Every structure is written in C-alpha cells, then in structure tokens.
Amino acid sequence: MKVKKISVANVDVSALPRLLDEERIGFQPIDHANWKAYPYKPKAAFRIAHTENAILLHFNVKETSVRARYNRDNDTVRADSCVEFFSIPAADGIYYNFECNCIGTIRVGAGKGCTNREHAPQEIITEVQRWSSLGNKPFPERMEKTSWDVALIIPYTVFFKHKITSLNGKMVKANFYKCGDELQTPHFLSWSPIETPRPDFHSPYFFGTLAFE
C-alpha cells in the first residue's frame, strides 16, 4: 500500500482527520477475523500518511460495546477497545508495537519477538501526540453501539531503538489491528491476514508492505 507524503509542519493532532480529508487519503479496512473462535468483526479502518519527521495515523471504529479502563501509558491497553500499528522500520528485524485504546492511552514496545520486549520510556512516549473523539478519561464497558476515532502523530524519534531520519522511498513491513481482549465480545482483527492457530499479532512474517512516497 502506498503511503502519501504530506508537506506540512506543526500539525495539531486534533486537526489530523480534517487534514487527511483535505489530502484525500482514504481509509483501509481492518477486517480479517483470522480465528474461528473469535468471529465478531466490529467495523474498523485506518488511514496513514507521513511528513518529513513523523507518521500520521487516523483510526475509525464502530463496535457494539466500548471500554477504556486503562489511562496510564504502557498499561495493558489491548484489553480495552484498542487499535494497533506494528512495523519494522529497519533491516535488523526489530519491530515496534504501537497500541492505543479508545481514549488515547498508548503502549510502545520494541524487539524481535513477542517475549522480552523493551517498553519505550515515558519521555519517549510523551512525544506521541494523540487525540480521541471520546476524550481521555477512563470508563467501564458501555454496552451500546459506539463510533469513535483516535489520531496519532508518531515522530521518528519514537522509534527509540533506531535513528530514523526519513522514510522517503522506503518499503516498510507493517500490520494494523483492532482488538478488545477483555470486552464482552473479545475480537482480534488484522489488516494483513495472519495464518496462526490462535490470535498472535506478534507475527512479523505476516506483515503487509507500506511503500512510503
């Protein structure tokens, strides 16, 4: 998938959805329910662009219930209504996981596998700008149909195991996810399909490809 480059500086994260609208960047569905034990498919989609110094992400979700228990970064946000971006920005096999619940609490890690991952320190995580249509206060699971959006601006400096200065012309392996491990109806959706016996987002072999302009 091609990732458009936008020539813009000092983007406010709350204005990111409008900016991506103006740039005519469309949404891509996160719609692969890869495991029969978890057939539920909330409607989830993302769109992505990049600038000279950051990745721009906008997720839109419509689901039958929504939860935001966690409000401290690097907490277990995947248990909430959560969207995720995993990527391999360099050639050494280290991949990053950016996990964000519906109120903008994020978890950032890096490593070559699902075990022994290194969490980003708080001073790095703070560099990620976030906006959520549901605000930033935690709440218990709401048993009602809900549509929500989160937007993220991820500076290249947040890839804390590398010194990324540009993604111009790069091919990057990545995947995007929607999950809710502890919701009334747990679910595990991916953009690029995953062929493992049980839910496993830490599967870089199945990442798709992003072609950055």
Short mmCIF file of all heavy atoms in Angstrom, two decimals, residues 118-167:
data_model
loop_
_atom_site.label_atom_id
_atom_site.label_comp_id
_atom_site.label_asym_id
_atom_site.label_seq_id
_atom_site.Cartn_x
_atom_site.Cartn_y
_atom_site.Cartn_z
N GLU A 118 11.11 -4.50 24.89
CA GLU A 118 11.52 -3.34 25.66
C GLU A 118 10.49 -2.23 25.50
O GLU A 118 10.20 -1.80 24.38
CB GLU A 118 12.89 -2.85 25.17
CG GLU A 118 13.43 -1.66 25.94
CD GLU A 118 14.81 -1.22 25.46
OE1 GLU A 118 15.44 -1.96 24.67
OE2 GLU A 118 15.24 -0.12 25.86
N HIS A 119 9.93 -1.79 26.61
CA HIS A 119 8.96 -0.70 26.56
C HIS A 119 9.67 0.63 26.41
O HIS A 119 10.73 0.86 27.00
CB HIS A 119 8.11 -0.68 27.84
CG HIS A 119 7.18 -1.83 27.95
ND1 HIS A 119 6.65 -2.25 29.16
CD2 HIS A 119 6.67 -2.66 27.02
CE1 HIS A 119 5.86 -3.29 28.96
NE2 HIS A 119 5.86 -3.56 27.66
N ALA A 120 9.07 1.50 25.64
CA ALA A 120 9.62 2.85 25.50
C ALA A 120 9.49 3.59 26.82
O ALA A 120 8.46 3.49 27.50
CB ALA A 120 8.88 3.60 24.40
N PRO A 121 10.50 4.36 27.21
CA PRO A 121 10.38 5.17 28.42
C PRO A 121 9.34 6.26 28.25
O PRO A 121 9.03 6.67 27.12
CB PRO A 121 11.79 5.74 28.61
CG PRO A 121 12.42 5.68 27.25
CD PRO A 121 11.81 4.50 26.56
N GLN A 122 8.81 6.76 29.35
CA GLN A 122 7.73 7.72 29.30
C GLN A 122 8.12 8.99 28.55
O GLN A 122 7.29 9.57 27.83
CB GLN A 122 7.27 8.09 30.71
CG GLN A 122 6.04 8.98 30.75
CD GLN A 122 4.83 8.36 30.07
OE1 GLN A 122 4.51 7.20 30.32
NE2 GLN A 122 4.15 9.11 29.20
N GLU A 123 9.37 9.42 28.68
CA GLU A 123 9.76 10.65 27.97
C GLU A 123 9.71 10.47 26.46
O GLU A 123 9.53 11.44 25.72
CB GLU A 123 11.17 11.10 28.40
CG GLU A 123 12.28 10.12 28.15
CD GLU A 123 12.56 9.22 29.34
OE1 GLU A 123 11.64 9.00 30.17
OE2 GLU A 123 13.71 8.74 29.45
N ILE A 124 9.85 9.24 25.98
CA ILE A 124 9.70 8.94 24.55
C ILE A 124 8.22 8.87 24.19
O ILE A 124 7.78 9.46 23.20
CB ILE A 124 10.41 7.62 24.19
CG1 ILE A 124 11.93 7.77 24.36
CG2 ILE A 124 10.06 7.19 22.77
CD1 ILE A 124 12.59 8.70 23.38
N ILE A 125 7.45 8.16 24.99
CA ILE A 125 6.02 8.01 24.70
C ILE A 125 5.32 9.37 24.67
O ILE A 125 4.41 9.59 23.86
CB ILE A 125 5.36 7.09 25.75
CG1 ILE A 125 5.84 5.65 25.55
CG2 ILE A 125 3.84 7.15 25.66
CD1 ILE A 125 5.24 4.66 26.51
N THR A 126 5.75 10.28 25.51
CA THR A 126 5.13 11.60 25.57
C THR A 126 5.24 12.34 24.24
O THR A 126 4.43 13.23 23.94
CB THR A 126 5.77 12.43 26.70
OG1 THR A 126 5.59 11.73 27.94
CG2 THR A 126 5.14 13.80 26.82
N GLU A 127 6.21 11.95 23.42
CA GLU A 127 6.38 12.62 22.12
C GLU A 127 5.26 12.28 21.14
O GLU A 127 5.06 12.99 20.15
CB GLU A 127 7.72 12.23 21.51
CG GLU A 127 8.93 12.70 22.31
CD GLU A 127 10.24 12.31 21.64
OE1 GLU A 127 10.25 12.16 20.40
OE2 GLU A 127 11.25 12.15 22.34
N VAL A 128 4.54 11.19 21.39
CA VAL A 128 3.43 10.81 20.51
C VAL A 128 2.24 11.69 20.82
O VAL A 128 1.70 11.66 21.94
CB VAL A 128 3.05 9.33 20.68
CG1 VAL A 128 1.89 8.98 19.73
CG2 VAL A 128 4.24 8.42 20.42
N GLN A 129 1.81 12.48 19.83
CA GLN A 129 0.61 13.29 20.01
C GLN A 129 -0.62 12.42 19.77
O GLN A 129 -0.64 11.61 18.84
CB GLN A 129 0.60 14.45 19.03
CG GLN A 129 1.71 15.45 19.22
CD GLN A 129 1.58 16.59 18.22
OE1 GLN A 129 0.53 17.23 18.11
NE2 GLN A 129 2.65 16.85 17.48
N ARG A 130 -1.65 12.59 20.61
CA ARG A 130 -2.85 11.77 20.47
C ARG A 130 -4.11 12.61 20.63
O ARG A 130 -4.13 13.57 21.39
CB ARG A 130 -2.90 10.66 21.53
CG ARG A 130 -1.55 10.09 21.89
CD ARG A 130 -1.49 9.92 23.40
NE ARG A 130 -0.12 9.89 23.87
CZ ARG A 130 0.26 9.31 24.98
NH1 ARG A 130 -0.63 8.67 25.72
NH2 ARG A 130 1.50 9.37 25.38
N TRP A 131 -5.13 12.18 19.92
CA TRP A 131 -6.45 12.79 20.05
C TRP A 131 -7.48 11.68 19.97
O TRP A 131 -7.36 10.76 19.14
CB TRP A 131 -6.70 13.80 18.93
CG TRP A 131 -8.14 14.24 18.86
CD1 TRP A 131 -8.76 15.19 19.61
CD2 TRP A 131 -9.15 13.70 18.00
NE1 TRP A 131 -10.09 15.28 19.28
CE2 TRP A 131 -10.36 14.38 18.29
CE3 TRP A 131 -9.14 12.70 17.01
CZ2 TRP A 131 -11.54 14.08 17.63
CZ3 TRP A 131 -10.33 12.41 16.35
CH2 TRP A 131 -11.52 13.11 16.67
N SER A 132 -8.48 11.75 20.81
CA SER A 132 -9.58 10.78 20.79
C SER A 132 -10.91 11.50 20.80
O SER A 132 -11.09 12.47 21.55
CB SER A 132 -9.50 9.84 22.00
OG SER A 132 -10.70 9.10 22.13
N SER A 133 -11.83 11.01 20.01
CA SER A 133 -13.18 11.59 19.99
C SER A 133 -13.93 11.31 21.28
O SER A 133 -14.94 11.97 21.57
CB SER A 133 -13.97 11.02 18.81
OG SER A 133 -14.13 9.61 18.93
N LEU A 134 -13.46 10.35 22.10
CA LEU A 134 -14.12 10.02 23.36
C LEU A 134 -13.46 10.69 24.56
O LEU A 134 -13.81 10.39 25.71
CB LEU A 134 -14.11 8.49 23.57
CG LEU A 134 -14.88 7.66 22.55
CD1 LEU A 134 -14.79 6.18 22.88
CD2 LEU A 134 -16.33 8.10 22.45
N GLY A 135 -12.52 11.59 24.32
CA GLY A 135 -11.83 12.24 25.42
C GLY A 135 -10.72 11.37 25.97
O GLY A 135 -10.29 10.39 25.34
N ASN A 136 -10.25 11.66 27.18
CA ASN A 136 -9.13 10.91 27.75
C ASN A 136 -9.39 10.39 29.15
O ASN A 136 -8.45 9.99 29.86
CB ASN A 136 -7.86 11.78 27.75
CG ASN A 136 -8.03 13.07 28.55
OD1 ASN A 136 -9.01 13.24 29.26
ND2 ASN A 136 -7.05 13.95 28.44
N LYS A 137 -10.65 10.33 29.57
CA LYS A 137 -10.99 9.83 30.90
C LYS A 137 -11.41 8.36 30.81
O LYS A 137 -12.20 7.98 29.93
CB LYS A 137 -12.11 10.65 31.53
CG LYS A 137 -11.82 12.14 31.62
CD LYS A 137 -10.60 12.42 32.50
CE LYS A 137 -10.37 13.92 32.63
NZ LYS A 137 -9.14 14.23 33.40
N PRO A 138 -10.94 7.51 31.74
CA PRO A 138 -11.32 6.09 31.68
C PRO A 138 -12.78 5.87 32.02
O PRO A 138 -13.40 6.68 32.73
CB PRO A 138 -10.40 5.45 32.73
CG PRO A 138 -10.06 6.56 33.68
CD PRO A 138 -10.02 7.81 32.85
N PHE A 139 -13.33 4.75 31.53
CA PHE A 139 -14.72 4.40 31.83
C PHE A 139 -14.90 2.89 31.68
O PHE A 139 -14.16 2.24 30.93
CB PHE A 139 -15.70 5.15 30.91
CG PHE A 139 -15.45 4.98 29.43
CD1 PHE A 139 -15.95 3.89 28.73
CD2 PHE A 139 -14.71 5.93 28.73
CE1 PHE A 139 -15.73 3.73 27.38
CE2 PHE A 139 -14.49 5.79 27.37
CZ PHE A 139 -15.00 4.69 26.70
N PRO A 140 -15.86 2.30 32.41
CA PRO A 140 -16.14 0.87 32.29
C PRO A 140 -16.81 0.57 30.96
O PRO A 140 -17.19 1.49 30.22
CB PRO A 140 -17.07 0.59 33.46
CG PRO A 140 -17.77 1.90 33.69
CD PRO A 140 -16.74 2.95 33.39
N GLU A 141 -16.95 -0.71 30.67
CA GLU A 141 -17.53 -1.09 29.38
C GLU A 141 -18.95 -0.56 29.24
O GLU A 141 -19.81 -0.75 30.12
CB GLU A 141 -17.52 -2.60 29.21
CG GLU A 141 -17.93 -3.04 27.81
CD GLU A 141 -17.61 -4.49 27.52
OE1 GLU A 141 -17.12 -5.18 28.44
OE2 GLU A 141 -17.84 -4.94 26.38
N ARG A 142 -19.19 0.12 28.13
CA ARG A 142 -20.51 0.65 27.80
C ARG A 142 -21.15 -0.30 26.80
O ARG A 142 -20.64 -0.49 25.69
CB ARG A 142 -20.39 2.04 27.20
CG ARG A 142 -19.78 3.08 28.13
CD ARG A 142 -19.51 4.38 27.38
NE ARG A 142 -18.91 5.40 28.24
CZ ARG A 142 -18.40 6.55 27.79
NH1 ARG A 142 -18.44 6.82 26.47
NH2 ARG A 142 -17.86 7.41 28.61
N MET A 143 -22.27 -0.87 27.16
CA MET A 143 -22.93 -1.85 26.32
C MET A 143 -23.87 -1.13 25.35
O MET A 143 -25.09 -1.22 25.43
CB MET A 143 -23.68 -2.87 27.17
CG MET A 143 -22.82 -3.54 28.23
SD MET A 143 -21.28 -4.25 27.55
CE MET A 143 -21.96 -5.45 26.42
N GLU A 144 -23.27 -0.40 24.43
CA GLU A 144 -24.04 0.33 23.44
C GLU A 144 -23.20 0.53 22.19
O GLU A 144 -21.96 0.60 22.26
CB GLU A 144 -24.45 1.70 24.00
CG GLU A 144 -23.28 2.56 24.44
CD GLU A 144 -23.71 3.81 25.18
OE1 GLU A 144 -24.82 3.82 25.73
OE2 GLU A 144 -22.93 4.77 25.21
N LYS A 145 -23.86 0.59 21.05
CA LYS A 145 -23.14 0.82 19.81
C LYS A 145 -22.44 2.17 19.87
O LYS A 145 -23.06 3.19 20.22
CB LYS A 145 -24.09 0.76 18.62
CG LYS A 145 -24.66 -0.62 18.36
CD LYS A 145 -25.56 -0.62 17.13
CE LYS A 145 -26.11 -2.02 16.87
NZ LYS A 145 -27.01 -2.04 15.68
N THR A 146 -21.16 2.18 19.54
CA THR A 146 -20.36 3.39 19.66
C THR A 146 -19.45 3.52 18.46
O THR A 146 -18.84 2.55 18.01
CB THR A 146 -19.51 3.36 20.94
OG1 THR A 146 -20.36 3.15 22.08
CG2 THR A 146 -18.73 4.66 21.11
N SER A 147 -19.35 4.74 17.96
CA SER A 147 -18.38 5.06 16.91
C SER A 147 -17.33 5.98 17.53
O SER A 147 -17.68 6.93 18.25
CB SER A 147 -19.08 5.77 15.74
OG SER A 147 -18.12 6.17 14.76
N TRP A 148 -16.07 5.67 17.31
CA TRP A 148 -15.01 6.50 17.88
C TRP A 148 -13.81 6.58 16.95
O TRP A 148 -13.64 5.76 16.05
CB TRP A 148 -14.60 6.00 19.26
CG TRP A 148 -14.18 4.55 19.36
CD1 TRP A 148 -14.98 3.47 19.60
CD2 TRP A 148 -12.83 4.04 19.28
NE1 TRP A 148 -14.24 2.31 19.65
CE2 TRP A 148 -12.92 2.63 19.46
CE3 TRP A 148 -11.59 4.61 19.07
CZ2 TRP A 148 -11.79 1.80 19.44
CZ3 TRP A 148 -10.46 3.79 19.04
CH2 TRP A 148 -10.57 2.40 19.23
N ASP A 149 -13.03 7.63 17.17
CA ASP A 149 -11.83 7.87 16.37
C ASP A 149 -10.65 8.16 17.29
O ASP A 149 -10.82 8.77 18.35
CB ASP A 149 -12.01 9.09 15.46
CG ASP A 149 -13.07 8.89 14.40
OD1 ASP A 149 -14.26 9.02 14.73
OD2 ASP A 149 -12.71 8.61 13.25
N VAL A 150 -9.47 7.74 16.87
CA VAL A 150 -8.24 8.21 17.50
C VAL A 150 -7.28 8.62 16.39
O VAL A 150 -7.26 8.02 15.31
CB VAL A 150 -7.57 7.17 18.42
CG1 VAL A 150 -8.42 6.88 19.64
CG2 VAL A 150 -7.23 5.90 17.68
N ALA A 151 -6.51 9.65 16.66
CA ALA A 151 -5.48 10.12 15.74
C ALA A 151 -4.15 10.16 16.48
O ALA A 151 -4.11 10.52 17.67
CB ALA A 151 -5.83 11.50 15.19
N LEU A 152 -3.10 9.78 15.78
CA LEU A 152 -1.76 9.75 16.37
C LEU A 152 -0.77 10.42 15.43
O LEU A 152 -0.81 10.21 14.21
CB LEU A 152 -1.29 8.31 16.61
CG LEU A 152 -2.16 7.39 17.48
CD1 LEU A 152 -1.61 5.98 17.46
CD2 LEU A 152 -2.20 7.92 18.91
N ILE A 153 0.13 11.20 16.00
CA ILE A 153 1.30 11.69 15.28
C ILE A 153 2.52 11.08 15.96
O ILE A 153 2.79 11.37 17.14
CB ILE A 153 1.37 13.23 15.28
CG1 ILE A 153 0.15 13.81 14.56
CG2 ILE A 153 2.66 13.71 14.62
CD1 ILE A 153 0.11 15.34 14.55
N ILE A 154 3.22 10.22 15.23
CA ILE A 154 4.34 9.47 15.79
C ILE A 154 5.64 9.99 15.18
O ILE A 154 5.99 9.66 14.05
CB ILE A 154 4.20 7.96 15.49
CG1 ILE A 154 2.85 7.42 16.01
CG2 ILE A 154 5.36 7.18 16.11
CD1 ILE A 154 2.56 5.99 15.60
N PRO A 155 6.37 10.83 15.90
CA PRO A 155 7.66 11.31 15.38
C PRO A 155 8.64 10.15 15.20
O PRO A 155 8.59 9.15 15.93
CB PRO A 155 8.15 12.28 16.46
CG PRO A 155 6.94 12.62 17.27
CD PRO A 155 6.06 11.41 17.21
N TYR A 156 9.54 10.27 14.25
CA TYR A 156 10.51 9.20 14.02
C TYR A 156 11.39 8.96 15.24
O TYR A 156 11.93 7.87 15.42
CB TYR A 156 11.37 9.53 12.80
CG TYR A 156 10.58 9.60 11.50
CD1 TYR A 156 10.91 10.52 10.52
CD2 TYR A 156 9.49 8.76 11.28
CE1 TYR A 156 10.18 10.59 9.34
CE2 TYR A 156 8.76 8.83 10.11
CZ TYR A 156 9.11 9.75 9.14
OH TYR A 156 8.38 9.83 7.98
N THR A 157 11.53 9.97 16.10
CA THR A 157 12.33 9.80 17.31
C THR A 157 11.73 8.78 18.27
O THR A 157 12.43 8.28 19.16
CB THR A 157 12.48 11.15 18.03
OG1 THR A 157 11.17 11.73 18.23
CG2 THR A 157 13.34 12.11 17.24
N VAL A 158 10.46 8.46 18.11
CA VAL A 158 9.82 7.48 18.99
C VAL A 158 10.27 6.06 18.66
O VAL A 158 10.14 5.15 19.48
CB VAL A 158 8.28 7.62 18.91
CG1 VAL A 158 7.58 6.59 19.79
CG2 VAL A 158 7.87 9.02 19.35
N PHE A 159 10.85 5.86 17.50
CA PHE A 159 11.46 4.56 17.17
C PHE A 159 12.80 4.52 17.90
O PHE A 159 13.87 4.69 17.32
CB PHE A 159 11.61 4.41 15.66
CG PHE A 159 10.30 4.30 14.92
CD1 PHE A 159 9.66 5.43 14.43
CD2 PHE A 159 9.70 3.06 14.74
CE1 PHE A 159 8.45 5.34 13.76
CE2 PHE A 159 8.48 2.95 14.07
CZ PHE A 159 7.86 4.08 13.58
N PHE A 160 12.72 4.28 19.21
CA PHE A 160 13.81 4.57 20.13
C PHE A 160 14.99 3.61 20.03
O PHE A 160 16.05 3.88 20.61
CB PHE A 160 13.29 4.61 21.58
CG PHE A 160 12.69 3.30 22.06
CD1 PHE A 160 13.42 2.45 22.86
CD2 PHE A 160 11.40 2.94 21.71
CE1 PHE A 160 12.88 1.26 23.32
CE2 PHE A 160 10.85 1.75 22.16
CZ PHE A 160 11.59 0.90 22.97
N LYS A 161 14.86 2.50 19.31
CA LYS A 161 15.98 1.58 19.11
C LYS A 161 16.75 1.90 17.83
O LYS A 161 17.73 1.23 17.51
CB LYS A 161 15.47 0.14 19.05
CG LYS A 161 14.71 -0.31 20.29
CD LYS A 161 15.61 -0.44 21.50
CE LYS A 161 16.52 -1.64 21.39
NZ LYS A 161 17.35 -1.80 22.59
N HIS A 162 16.30 2.89 17.10
CA HIS A 162 16.92 3.25 15.82
C HIS A 162 17.08 4.76 15.72
O HIS A 162 16.54 5.50 16.55
CB HIS A 162 16.08 2.75 14.65
CG HIS A 162 15.91 1.26 14.60
ND1 HIS A 162 14.91 0.61 15.28
CD2 HIS A 162 16.65 0.30 13.97
CE1 HIS A 162 15.01 -0.70 15.06
NE2 HIS A 162 16.06 -0.91 14.28
N LYS A 163 17.77 5.19 14.71
CA LYS A 163 17.87 6.61 14.39
C LYS A 163 17.26 6.82 13.01
O LYS A 163 17.94 6.86 12.00
CB LYS A 163 19.32 7.08 14.43
CG LYS A 163 19.93 7.08 15.83
CD LYS A 163 21.33 7.66 15.84
CE LYS A 163 21.88 7.69 17.26
NZ LYS A 163 23.27 8.24 17.30
N ILE A 164 15.93 6.91 13.00
CA ILE A 164 15.18 7.09 11.76
C ILE A 164 15.09 8.59 11.48
O ILE A 164 14.58 9.35 12.30
CB ILE A 164 13.77 6.49 11.87
CG1 ILE A 164 13.83 5.02 12.31
CG2 ILE A 164 13.03 6.64 10.54
CD1 ILE A 164 14.51 4.09 11.36
N THR A 165 15.60 9.01 10.35
CA THR A 165 15.52 10.43 9.99
C THR A 165 14.57 10.68 8.83
O THR A 165 14.13 11.81 8.62
CB THR A 165 16.91 10.96 9.61
OG1 THR A 165 17.44 10.18 8.53
CG2 THR A 165 17.86 10.87 10.80
N SER A 166 14.24 9.62 8.08
CA SER A 166 13.32 9.77 6.94
C SER A 166 12.81 8.40 6.54
O SER A 166 13.51 7.39 6.68
CB SER A 166 14.05 10.42 5.77
OG SER A 166 13.23 10.42 4.61
N LEU A 167 11.58 8.38 6.02
CA LEU A 167 11.04 7.16 5.42
C LEU A 167 10.79 7.35 3.93
O LEU A 167 10.15 6.51 3.30
CB LEU A 167 9.75 6.74 6.13
CG LEU A 167 9.91 6.20 7.56
CD1 LEU A 167 8.55 5.89 8.17
CD2 LEU A 167 10.79 4.96 7.59
#
